[in-house]
């Protein structure tokens, strides 16, 4: 029984004419590829390659095995496509809803991995402001959606037939202009230290603003909102310009295009929970496959317990 990975290595060397070029094509280092070829030669019981100063060429045994290797690999690729069609992962469109932060920082590599595994599935991505993506799911406009909610705050409710699966919880952090006194320390900053500093914040109805102001009030830190903005990107830009300070999700702070000072807060009770909205038992194979990929990818990015 020949390992398909080693057969693919033999084909790559035959086409590239050298182990070095074949290794680059397959994403191996030359020594790692040489090890695969050595194992294939032991399986075959014969020398398959002759190495020379310009590269490598196949022996008679190598040429014989090459013909079969190409045939085997073609059959395996055809089987992959047929199994994908059987599973509903070949053809069709997978419609994904997201919000700005996830769509910018977390979703692209997951969709890239999905596309590599299932190139026949067309992807459609639409950006929403939570909880609009949940409503889009209920209306059948998207097949899977990413959303978020703030903690503490009102728990998000979803329509019948839908469910929330938490994927990641991140802290809200303080952002300041570079060099600001509040960003100078290394440890967590007590919420009380924000007292008297002007705040750049979201719109009054935004759940993040309500939660932040409630936490500050509970800590006895009186602040005045100097500037309001509907989006975190503008909030961070205004903070960077010295208009005030702000409390934003950590992912947004670290991904800001404008320079910021960042400080974790004490106590670390202001959080944002990111979840995937799905249809339990009723999602398409493509949607369920993407949900599994999201689960693994977001776990690697988790910033808080």
């Amino acid at each position: 029984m020949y390992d398909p990975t080693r057969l693919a290595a033999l084909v790559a060397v035959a086409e590239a004419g050298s182990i070095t070029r074949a290794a680059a094509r397959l994403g191996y280092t030359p020594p790692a590829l040489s090890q695969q070829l050595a194992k294939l030669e032991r399986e075959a019981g014969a020398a398959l390659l002759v190495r020379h100063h310009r590269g490598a060429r196949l022996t008679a045994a190598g040429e014989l095995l090459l013909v079969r290797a190409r045939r085997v690999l073609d059959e395996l690729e055809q089987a992959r496509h047929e199994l994908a069609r059987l599973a509903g992962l070949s053809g069709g469109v997978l419609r994904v809803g997201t919000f700005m932060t996830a769509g910018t920082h977390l979703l692209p590599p997951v969709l890239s991995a999905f596309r590599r595994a299932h190139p026949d599935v067309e992807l459609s991505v639409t950006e929403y402001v939570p909880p609009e993506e949940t409503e889009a799911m209920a209306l059948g406009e998207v097949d899977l959606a990413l959303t978020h909610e703030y903690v503490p705050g009102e728990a998000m409710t979803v329509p019948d037939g839908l469910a929330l699966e938490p994927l990641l919880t991140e802290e809200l952090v303080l952002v300041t202009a570079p060099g600001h006194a509040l960003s100078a320390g290394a440890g967590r900053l007590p919420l009380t230290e924000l007292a008297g500093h002007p705040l750049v914040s979201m719109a009054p109805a935004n759940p993040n603003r309500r939660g932040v102001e409630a936490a500050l009030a509970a800590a006895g830190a009186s602040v005045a909102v100097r500037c309001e903005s509907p989006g975190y990107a503008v909030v961070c830009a205004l903070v960077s310009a010295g208009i005030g300070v702000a409390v934003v999700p950590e992912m947004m702070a670290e991904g800001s295009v404008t320079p910021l000072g960042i400080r974790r807060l004490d106590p670390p009770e202001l959080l944002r929970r990111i979840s995937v909205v799905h249809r339990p038992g009723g999602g398409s194979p493509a949607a369920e496959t993407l949900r599994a990929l999201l689960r693994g990818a977001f776990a690697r990015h988790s910033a808080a317990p």
Side-chain angles (χ1 to χ4, degrees), residues 192-203:
T192 53
E193 294 295 314
L194 272 65
H197 290 274
L199 200 66
V200 178
S201 194
M202 307 288 279

Side-chain angles (χ1 to χ4, degrees), residues 42-276:
R42 289 196 294 271
E43 289 175 346
L48 303 175
L49 296 171
V50 175
R51 294 162 177 79
H52 51 81
H53 68 282
R54 289 179 297 177
R57 63 175 176 81
L58 270 60
T59 64
E63 292 287 355
L64 186 151
L65 185 57
L66 176 66
V67 175
R68 272 68 176 182
R70 283 176 168 149
R71 189 178 303 162
V72 168
L73 293 173
D74 287 343
E75 287 292 330
L76 288 174
E77 181 65 12
Q78 181 62 30
R80 186 185 72 81
H81 283 289
E82 291 176 358
L83 287 170
R85 284 195 294 270
L86 185 65
L89 288 167
S90 180
V93 179
L94 176 60
R95 303 164 302 169
V96 183
T98 186
F99 58 95
M100 190 274 290
T101 314
T104 302
H105 300 288
L106 294 174
L107 192 57
V110 179
L111 291 181
S112 179
F114 181 91
R115 171 57 60 85
R116 288 195 301 271
H118 309 291
D120 298 327
V121 178
E122 183 180 344
L123 292 169
S124 171
V125 181
T126 304
E127 182 181 334
Y128 297 93
V129 176
E132 293 176 356
E133 65 284 306
T134 303
E135 299 167 4
M137 277 283 295
L139 294 172
E141 296 174 356
V142 293
D143 304 302
L144 201 71
L146 292 171
T147 190
H148 66 70
E149 57 189 323
Y150 292 97
V151 180
E154 296 180 6
M156 181 177 293
T157 59
V158 295
D160 291 342
L162 302 179
L164 284 177
E165 178 183 352
L167 295 174
L168 180 154
T169 300
E170 61 174 333
E171 289 186 31
L172 303 187
V173 297
L174 177 74
V175 291
T176 70
H180 193 285
L182 291 182
S183 64
R188 289 184 176 273
L189 181 75
L191 282 174
T192 53
E193 294 295 314
L194 272 65
H197 290 274
L199 200 66
V200 178
S201 194
M202 307 288 279
N206 183 275
N208 177 27
R209 174 169 170 176
R210 294 200 303 268
V212 168
E213 291 185 349
L216 291 173
S222 175
V223 296
V225 176
R226 174 175 289 178
C227 192
E228 297 176 354
S229 171
Y232 283 125
V234 176
V235 167
C236 289
L238 294 172
V239 168
S240 181
I243 304 301
V245 301
V247 178
V248 304
E250 184 174 16
M251 200 182 311
M252 196 67 225
E254 293 180 345
S256 173
V257 297
T258 52
L260 295 169
I262 302 175
R263 190 88 179 267
R264 291 182 180 271
L265 297 169
D266 184 36
E269 62 182 19
L270 296 171
L271 308 171
R272 181 170 73 165
R273 181 183 299 123
I274 297 174
S275 303
V276 59

Side-chain angles (χ1 to χ4, degrees), residues 94 144 278-293 295:
L94 176 60
L144 201 71
H278 64 104
R279 301 183 188 281
S284 69
E288 290 304 298
T289 298
L290 181 60
R291 183 160 69 100
L293 288 173
R295 189 183 301 121

